[in-house]
């Protein structure tokens, strides 16, 4: 059973990752429109979407979303450590 601190961290990390993903999707979509001059594919799996466009969108979204999640979780962990005096147990590295 998870203790209250662990549960609190999971809620905080989940909220940070959600917010980071939300912002990242908006930013990536805007950057796609600006760089390609087109809307991003709404259904990249469709054979009607060019393969290069589908792959490009998948790579950009995958990397962008994971990077946003990573940065948001790290920022949340920093705030968690500031408030509690230590990192969440699952983020501690063994020396």
């Amino acid at each position: 059973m998870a203790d209250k601190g662990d549960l609190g961290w999971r809620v905080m990390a989940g909220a940070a990752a959600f917010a980071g993903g939300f912002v990242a999707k908006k930013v990536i979509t805007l950057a796609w429109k600006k760089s390609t001059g087109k809307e991003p594919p709404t259904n990249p799996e469709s054979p009607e979407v060019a393969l290069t466009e589908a792959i490009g969108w998948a790579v950009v979204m995958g990397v962008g979303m994971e990077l946003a999640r990573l940065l948001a979780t790290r920022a949340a962990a920093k705030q968690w450590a500031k408030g509690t005096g230590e990192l969440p147990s699952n983020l501690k590295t063994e020396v």
Side-chain angles (χ1 to χ4, degrees):
M1 178 92 186
D3 65 13
K4 286 184 182 178
D6 188 40
L7 182 61
W9 164 247
R10 287 176 187 238
V11 169
M12 185 174 177
F18 178 79
F22 180 80
V23 170
K25 185 171 182 183
K26 296 288 184 187
V27 169
I28 292 166
T29 299
L30 183 65
W32 181 273
K33 287 178 191 177
K34 201 160 179 79
S35 65
T36 65
K38 298 182 342 183
E39 291 288 324
T42 55
N43 189 4
E45 295 88 3
S46 171
E48 294 176 346
V49 175
L51 183 59
T52 54
E53 184 178 16
I55 290 172
W57 178 247
V59 169
V60 168
M61 278 300 283
V63 171
M65 294 296 278
E66 184 58 23
L67 183 59
R69 187 202 61 79
L70 172 77
L71 294 175
T73 302
R74 287 178 61 103
K78 204 178 258 190
Q79 289 302 313
W80 182 268
K82 227 185 247 188
T84 64
E86 61 182 14
L87 285 172
S89 58
N90 67 323
L91 296 182
K92 292 179 183 174
T93 56
E94 306 231 358
V95 180

